[in-house]
Amino acid sequence: MYLQSLLLGGFVVSSLVFVSVHGSGLGRGFGDHIHWRTFEDGKKESAASGLPLMLVIHKSWCGACKSLKPKFADSKEISELAHNFVMVNVEILREQYIQR
């Protein structure tokens, strides 16, 4: 699935390719106790319920993402606040940068 629309300084367009997994493991280390949805299901549920969509985008090789995972997963505050959002977790596989 492609998410295209990020324009940086009018010069760089980024196409993000991410995994949207169906079934178990949607937390990807960011908290299995949180009710995660796939991207497509999350968009539909957000539109139907009126709840805002919380989109967590990360990369498996990103150091900052790796250090954030346990903090996010163990946060009682995030766990409680997650009920106010439709929670979606996507993992970026690769990025393409196109010069304009």
Side-chain angles (χ1 to χ4, degrees), residues 46-94:
S46 179
S49 69
L51 288 173
L53 184 97
M54 172 64 76
L55 181 58
V56 176
I57 301 174
H58 60 97
K59 304 170 187 174
S60 61
W61 51 265
C62 170
C65 299
K66 288 178 184 179
S67 68
L68 178 63
K69 267 185 192 185
K71 294 173 186 169
F72 194 101
D74 295 339
S75 172
K76 183 178 179 182
E77 185 176 17
I78 289 174
S79 182
E80 291 171 359
L81 290 172
H83 298 287
N84 299 311
F85 297 89
V86 176
M87 302 293 287
V88 174
N89 180 336
V90 295
E91 182 176 357
I92 305 276
L93 295 178
R94 66 182 170 90

Side-chain angles (χ1 to χ4, degrees), residues 37-53:
R37 282 75 159 190
T38 64
F39 184 67
E40 290 301 321
D41 290 346
K43 287 192 308 181
K44 291 174 189 172
E45 186 174 334
S46 179
S49 69
L51 288 173
L53 184 97

Side-chain angles (χ1 to χ4, degrees), residues 21 23-29 32 36 89:
V21 178
S24 64
L26 293 175
R28 295 182 186 86
D32 291 333
W36 296 101
N89 180 336

